[in-house]
Amino acid sequence: MNGKTPLKTRAAAKAAKKPRKRLSGEERRAQIVKVASGLFSKKGFKGTTTREIAKAAGISEAVIFKHFSRKEDLYKAIIDSRCSDNEGGPRLIGMLKGKSGREVFMTVAVYLLEEHQKDPSFMRLLTYSALEQHSLSELFLKTRAMELLGFLEDKIHELIRDGLMRDVDPALAARAFIGMVDHYSIGQELYGFKRYFRRPLEEVAESFVDIFLEGTRR
Amino acid sequence: MNGKTPLKTRAAAKAAKKPRKRLSGEERRAQIVKVASGLFSKKGFKGTTTREIAKAAGISEAVIFKHFSRKEDLYKAIIDSRCSDNEGGPRLIGMLKGKSGREVFMTVAVYLLEEHQKDPSFMRLLTYSALEQHSLSELFLKTRAMELLGFLEDKIHELIRDGLMRDVDPALAARAFIGMVDHYSIGQELYGFKRYFRRPLEEVAESFVDIFLEGTRR
DNA sequence: CTCTGGTGAGTAAGTACTTACTTTAATACG
DNA sequence: CGTATTAAAGTAAGTACTTACTCACCAGAG
């Protein structure tokens, strides 16, 4: 058992116990953001302690405060990393340009359902943020949500002008569509609906697009 | 001013400061539940302190613990008072019996939108509860949400059978409809959409019912 | 007098955040 | 090349304050 370290047992034990990886500032920062993000999404900002974050990251609390002077700053760093341009939003809008009506709505539905399914923690984070009135939801609203709704609104307007849709309120119709899709994901992930009810992602998307497009067809 | 109590100034000041209403046990209990409910819905369970509750109710913390041995018990009492049979749910389902397709969906939409607008705090409470995985959301899901969805599902099934609707997945369609309506309220209240976008309640309900019914029409 | 509704002043266990200190790795230099 | 220097990465053990929850006691209606 202790054959290797008959003497110096304390130092040896310590060394054995802690194969401590020493990370660079940037690496550690990113790790903390990732760990905290996961915890905040599960338990909320108030519900997560800096101690827990430190423990989960395998470091002492002081390290967190070397990188983020306040717990609140950690939240902001998470926002930046989650809402940064390299992932998400812009990609979707880019995918939509030049597509036909049905293709647009189908793409949006599949994209949103896939995103939620791939990473349900973001939706939780966003919802917590909205409730706790942090800026994440505000930022997300103004960058992502509004952009997508605006795009759909324009598209609907265009379809109406071209006589392909009935004369519905474009803003309301856009929200109706996003509502169907988002609310489905929220039900599955937050309210535990998936225990009672589950459909293949494509089937869900197809159904919603059908209902929406038939409902708005001229 | 102090003609009545020239002496005993301390006692007099105290008496003047606190026109303390002495409530019966039941009254006090109900008051605490009401106050706590409002605070929990604004700041969440973890985000609300017993001290805040006491202050808001104009009593000392100890009184709270005379009525509820743990903070958690207060949550349960709130659940009971919010989900009790006398208000909400059953009334809605009752209103729906024997109505035609359009009437059913219109009634549901108006009802949900009105409820959310009348008391947005319940939605917040419910959402917090779902995130924090308290039993309120579970209970609500099993009593109210499932019941309403089940009713709509049956109605849709019936309408399909009678050749009044296309052959859509009834469960999915029911969720699509509730999704449009609920998601609209959530957007308005939680994500602050109402700063940018507002429509009369009836117009919103009518639009959603239109989109849904046209979309599912045979 | 008594019993119920009410209190002020605790307590122990957290909480975010700090301080004084140690370890490690890369670099400057004799 | 090895060794002193330095600065960053890391820590244990605090601090000041908040938290849920308690307890010994009080006041006034019946």
PDB file of all heavy atoms in Angstrom, chain C residues 5-6 10-11 15 21-22 24:
ATOM      1  P    DG C   5     -53.076  32.692  17.921  1.00  0.00           P
ATOM      2  OP1  DG C   5     -54.118  32.630  16.890  1.00  0.00           O
ATOM      3  OP2  DG C   5     -51.995  31.675  17.980  1.00  0.00           O
ATOM      4  O5'  DG C   5     -52.386  34.130  17.871  1.00  0.00           O
ATOM      5  C5'  DG C   5     -53.214  35.291  17.961  1.00  0.00           C
ATOM      6  C4'  DG C   5     -52.316  36.495  18.056  1.00  0.00           C
ATOM      7  O4'  DG C   5     -51.544  36.413  19.276  1.00  0.00           O
ATOM      8  C3'  DG C   5     -51.301  36.613  16.920  1.00  0.00           C
ATOM      9  O3'  DG C   5     -51.209  37.978  16.549  1.00  0.00           O
ATOM     10  C2'  DG C   5     -50.020  36.082  17.543  1.00  0.00           C
ATOM     11  C1'  DG C   5     -50.161  36.488  19.003  1.00  0.00           C
ATOM     12  N9   DG C   5     -49.467  35.642  19.961  1.00  0.00           N
ATOM     13  C8   DG C   5     -49.401  34.270  19.982  1.00  0.00           C
ATOM     14  N7   DG C   5     -48.704  33.807  20.984  1.00  0.00           N
ATOM     15  C5   DG C   5     -48.284  34.937  21.664  1.00  0.00           C
ATOM     16  C6   DG C   5     -47.491  35.066  22.838  1.00  0.00           C
ATOM     17  O6   DG C   5     -46.995  34.174  23.534  1.00  0.00           O
ATOM     18  N1   DG C   5     -47.300  36.411  23.194  1.00  0.00           N
ATOM     19  C2   DG C   5     -47.810  37.470  22.507  1.00  0.00           C
ATOM     20  N2   DG C   5     -47.533  38.675  22.990  1.00  0.00           N
ATOM     21  N3   DG C   5     -48.557  37.369  21.404  1.00  0.00           N
ATOM     22  C4   DG C   5     -48.747  36.080  21.045  1.00  0.00           C
ATOM     23  P    DG C   6     -50.199  38.465  15.427  1.00  0.00           P
ATOM     24  OP1  DG C   6     -50.723  39.731  14.865  1.00  0.00           O
ATOM     25  OP2  DG C   6     -49.932  37.298  14.557  1.00  0.00           O
ATOM     26  O5'  DG C   6     -48.882  38.777  16.235  1.00  0.00           O
ATOM     27  C5'  DG C   6     -48.826  40.011  16.983  1.00  0.00           C
ATOM     28  C4'  DG C   6     -47.586  40.026  17.820  1.00  0.00           C
ATOM     29  O4'  DG C   6     -47.523  38.846  18.633  1.00  0.00           O
ATOM     30  C3'  DG C   6     -46.273  39.986  17.035  1.00  0.00           C
ATOM     31  O3'  DG C   6     -45.802  41.305  16.796  1.00  0.00           O
ATOM     32  C2'  DG C   6     -45.317  39.253  17.977  1.00  0.00           C
ATOM     33  C1'  DG C   6     -46.194  38.784  19.116  1.00  0.00           C
ATOM     34  N9   DG C   6     -45.869  37.421  19.514  1.00  0.00           N
ATOM     35  C8   DG C   6     -46.272  36.239  18.943  1.00  0.00           C
ATOM     36  N7   DG C   6     -45.785  35.176  19.534  1.00  0.00           N
ATOM     37  C5   DG C   6     -44.998  35.700  20.561  1.00  0.00           C
ATOM     38  C6   DG C   6     -44.208  35.044  21.543  1.00  0.00           C
ATOM     39  O6   DG C   6     -44.050  33.836  21.708  1.00  0.00           O
ATOM     40  N1   DG C   6     -43.573  35.943  22.389  1.00  0.00           N
ATOM     41  C2   DG C   6     -43.681  37.318  22.294  1.00  0.00           C
ATOM     42  N2   DG C   6     -42.997  38.023  23.191  1.00  0.00           N
ATOM     43  N3   DG C   6     -44.413  37.941  21.394  1.00  0.00           N
ATOM     44  C4   DG C   6     -45.038  37.084  20.561  1.00  0.00           C
ATOM     45  P    DG C  10     -28.159  39.928  22.273  1.00  0.00           P
ATOM     46  OP1  DG C  10     -27.487  39.228  23.401  1.00  0.00           O
ATOM     47  OP2  DG C  10     -27.811  41.300  21.910  1.00  0.00           O
ATOM     48  O5'  DG C  10     -28.017  39.034  20.949  1.00  0.00           O
ATOM     49  C5'  DG C  10     -27.190  37.866  20.958  1.00  0.00           C
ATOM     50  C4'  DG C  10     -28.042  36.635  21.189  1.00  0.00           C
ATOM     51  O4'  DG C  10     -29.335  36.843  20.618  1.00  0.00           O
ATOM     52  C3'  DG C  10     -27.442  35.421  20.523  1.00  0.00           C
ATOM     53  O3'  DG C  10     -26.851  34.605  21.528  1.00  0.00           O
ATOM     54  C2'  DG C  10     -28.578  34.724  19.816  1.00  0.00           C
ATOM     55  C1'  DG C  10     -29.734  35.718  19.861  1.00  0.00           C
ATOM     56  N9   DG C  10     -30.207  36.144  18.547  1.00  0.00           N
ATOM     57  C8   DG C  10     -30.187  37.427  18.028  1.00  0.00           C
ATOM     58  N7   DG C  10     -30.716  37.505  16.824  1.00  0.00           N
ATOM     59  C5   DG C  10     -31.116  36.203  16.540  1.00  0.00           C
ATOM     60  C6   DG C  10     -31.753  35.654  15.386  1.00  0.00           C
ATOM     61  O6   DG C  10     -32.107  36.259  14.361  1.00  0.00           O
ATOM     62  N1   DG C  10     -31.962  34.281  15.505  1.00  0.00           N
ATOM     63  C2   DG C  10     -31.613  33.523  16.595  1.00  0.00           C
ATOM     64  N2   DG C  10     -31.901  32.223  16.525  1.00  0.00           N
ATOM     65  N3   DG C  10     -31.034  34.012  17.679  1.00  0.00           N
ATOM     66  C4   DG C  10     -30.799  35.350  17.586  1.00  0.00           C
ATOM     67  P    DT C  11     -25.430  33.990  21.283  1.00  0.00           P
ATOM     68  OP1  DT C  11     -24.973  33.450  22.578  1.00  0.00           O
ATOM     69  OP2  DT C  11     -24.632  34.985  20.561  1.00  0.00           O
ATOM     70  O5'  DT C  11     -25.707  32.763  20.308  1.00  0.00           O
ATOM     71  C5'  DT C  11     -26.710  31.784  20.615  1.00  0.00           C
ATOM     72  C4'  DT C  11     -26.824  30.845  19.435  1.00  0.00           C
ATOM     73  O4'  DT C  11     -27.679  31.435  18.428  1.00  0.00           O
ATOM     74  C3'  DT C  11     -25.475  30.583  18.766  1.00  0.00           C
ATOM     75  O3'  DT C  11     -25.280  29.193  18.607  1.00  0.00           O
ATOM     76  C2'  DT C  11     -25.571  31.313  17.445  1.00  0.00           C
ATOM     77  C1'  DT C  11     -27.069  31.302  17.165  1.00  0.00           C
ATOM     78  N1   DT C  11     -27.552  32.445  16.304  1.00  0.00           N
ATOM     79  C2   DT C  11     -28.342  32.172  15.221  1.00  0.00           C
ATOM     80  O2   DT C  11     -28.682  31.048  14.901  1.00  0.00           O
ATOM     81  N3   DT C  11     -28.737  33.267  14.503  1.00  0.00           N
ATOM     82  C4   DT C  11     -28.406  34.588  14.752  1.00  0.00           C
ATOM     83  O4   DT C  11     -28.821  35.492  14.041  1.00  0.00           O
ATOM     84  C5   DT C  11     -27.563  34.799  15.916  1.00  0.00           C
ATOM     85  C7   DT C  11     -27.142  36.191  16.268  1.00  0.00           C
ATOM     86  C6   DT C  11     -27.183  33.739  16.624  1.00  0.00           C
ATOM     87  P    DT C  15     -23.589  28.692   1.143  1.00  0.00           P
ATOM     88  OP1  DT C  15     -24.778  28.491   0.308  1.00  0.00           O
ATOM     89  OP2  DT C  15     -22.375  27.891   0.952  1.00  0.00           O
ATOM     90  O5'  DT C  15     -23.145  30.209   1.059  1.00  0.00           O
ATOM     91  C5'  DT C  15     -24.142  31.227   0.814  1.00  0.00           C
ATOM     92  C4'  DT C  15     -23.501  32.579   0.808  1.00  0.00           C
ATOM     93  O4'  DT C  15     -23.008  32.888   2.124  1.00  0.00           O
ATOM     94  C3'  DT C  15     -22.265  32.702  -0.064  1.00  0.00           C
ATOM     95  O3'  DT C  15     -22.661  32.933  -1.377  1.00  0.00           O
ATOM     96  C2'  DT C  15     -21.593  33.934   0.541  1.00  0.00           C
ATOM     97  C1'  DT C  15     -22.023  33.902   2.016  1.00  0.00           C
ATOM     98  N1   DT C  15     -20.951  33.598   3.004  1.00  0.00           N
ATOM     99  C2   DT C  15     -20.339  34.638   3.651  1.00  0.00           C
ATOM    100  O2   DT C  15     -20.611  35.804   3.452  1.00  0.00           O
ATOM    101  N3   DT C  15     -19.391  34.258   4.562  1.00  0.00           N
ATOM    102  C4   DT C  15     -19.003  32.965   4.868  1.00  0.00           C
ATOM    103  O4   DT C  15     -18.131  32.744   5.707  1.00  0.00           O
ATOM    104  C5   DT C  15     -19.682  31.924   4.128  1.00  0.00           C
ATOM    105  C7   DT C  15     -19.345  30.492   4.378  1.00  0.00           C
ATOM    106  C6   DT C  15     -20.613  32.291   3.237  1.00  0.00           C
ATOM    107  P    DC C  21       2.661  37.163   5.932  1.00  0.00           P
ATOM    108  OP1  DC C  21       3.104  36.848   7.303  1.00  0.00           O
ATOM    109  OP2  DC C  21       3.166  38.349   5.234  1.00  0.00           O
ATOM    110  O5'  DC C  21       2.924  35.885   5.014  1.00  0.00           O
ATOM    111  C5'  DC C  21       2.432  34.619   5.449  1.00  0.00           C
ATOM    112  C4'  DC C  21       2.251  33.712   4.252  1.00  0.00           C
ATOM    113  O4'  DC C  21       1.488  34.364   3.211  1.00  0.00           O
ATOM    114  C3'  DC C  21       3.535  33.274   3.519  1.00  0.00           C
ATOM    115  O3'  DC C  21       4.018  32.058   4.075  1.00  0.00           O
ATOM    116  C2'  DC C  21       3.076  33.093   2.083  1.00  0.00           C
ATOM    117  C1'  DC C  21       1.623  33.533   2.085  1.00  0.00           C
ATOM    118  N1   DC C  21       1.250  34.285   0.848  1.00  0.00           N
ATOM    119  C2   DC C  21       0.701  33.568  -0.214  1.00  0.00           C
ATOM    120  O2   DC C  21       0.532  32.345  -0.102  1.00  0.00           O
ATOM    121  N3   DC C  21       0.361  34.220  -1.362  1.00  0.00           N
ATOM    122  C4   DC C  21       0.552  35.543  -1.448  1.00  0.00           C
ATOM    123  N4   DC C  21       0.197  36.139  -2.577  1.00  0.00           N
ATOM    124  C5   DC C  21       1.109  36.292  -0.372  1.00  0.00           C
ATOM    125  C6   DC C  21       1.444  35.634   0.745  1.00  0.00           C
ATOM    126  P    DT C  22       5.352  31.398   3.394  1.00  0.00           P
ATOM    127  OP1  DT C  22       5.917  30.540   4.449  1.00  0.00           O
ATOM    128  OP2  DT C  22       6.164  32.471   2.778  1.00  0.00           O
ATOM    129  O5'  DT C  22       4.803  30.464   2.243  1.00  0.00           O
ATOM    130  C5'  DT C  22       3.875  29.409   2.553  1.00  0.00           C
ATOM    131  C4'  DT C  22       3.563  28.645   1.273  1.00  0.00           C
ATOM    132  O4'  DT C  22       3.017  29.556   0.293  1.00  0.00           O
ATOM    133  C3'  DT C  22       4.781  27.991   0.602  1.00  0.00           C
ATOM    134  O3'  DT C  22       4.428  26.651   0.273  1.00  0.00           O
ATOM    135  C2'  DT C  22       5.036  28.862  -0.618  1.00  0.00           C
ATOM    136  C1'  DT C  22       3.637  29.346  -0.952  1.00  0.00           C
ATOM    137  N1   DT C  22       3.551  30.628  -1.715  1.00  0.00           N
ATOM    138  C2   DT C  22       3.051  30.620  -2.984  1.00  0.00           C
ATOM    139  O2   DT C  22       2.681  29.614  -3.553  1.00  0.00           O
ATOM    140  N3   DT C  22       3.002  31.845  -3.580  1.00  0.00           N
ATOM    141  C4   DT C  22       3.385  33.071  -3.048  1.00  0.00           C
ATOM    142  O4   DT C  22       3.291  34.110  -3.678  1.00  0.00           O
ATOM    143  C5   DT C  22       3.906  32.993  -1.706  1.00  0.00           C
ATOM    144  C7   DT C  22       4.363  34.236  -1.027  1.00  0.00           C
ATOM    145  C6   DT C  22       3.970  31.802  -1.104  1.00  0.00           C
ATOM    146  P    DT C  24       5.009  22.787  -6.521  1.00  0.00           P
ATOM    147  OP1  DT C  24       4.099  21.640  -6.736  1.00  0.00           O
ATOM    148  OP2  DT C  24       6.347  22.603  -5.922  1.00  0.00           O
ATOM    149  O5'  DT C  24       5.159  23.564  -7.900  1.00  0.00           O
ATOM    150  C5'  DT C  24       3.965  23.986  -8.584  1.00  0.00           C
ATOM    151  C4'  DT C  24       4.353  24.937  -9.689  1.00  0.00           C
ATOM    152  O4'  DT C  24       4.860  26.167  -9.148  1.00  0.00           O
ATOM    153  C3'  DT C  24       5.434  24.407 -10.631  1.00  0.00           C
ATOM    154  O3'  DT C  24       4.856  24.355 -11.909  1.00  0.00           O
ATOM    155  C2'  DT C  24       6.563  25.438 -10.525  1.00  0.00           C
ATOM    156  C1'  DT C  24       5.827  26.670 -10.045  1.00  0.00           C
ATOM    157  N1   DT C  24       6.588  27.705  -9.299  1.00  0.00           N
ATOM    158  C2   DT C  24       6.553  29.007  -9.736  1.00  0.00           C
ATOM    159  O2   DT C  24       5.931  29.370 -10.709  1.00  0.00           O
ATOM    160  N3   DT C  24       7.279  29.896  -8.968  1.00  0.00           N
ATOM    161  C4   DT C  24       8.013  29.600  -7.832  1.00  0.00           C
ATOM    162  O4   DT C  24       8.625  30.467  -7.227  1.00  0.00           O
ATOM    163  C5   DT C  24       8.005  28.214  -7.438  1.00  0.00           C
ATOM    164  C7   DT C  24       8.778  27.785  -6.225  1.00  0.00           C
ATOM    165  C6   DT C  24       7.307  27.335  -8.172  1.00  0.00           C
TER     166       DT C  24
END
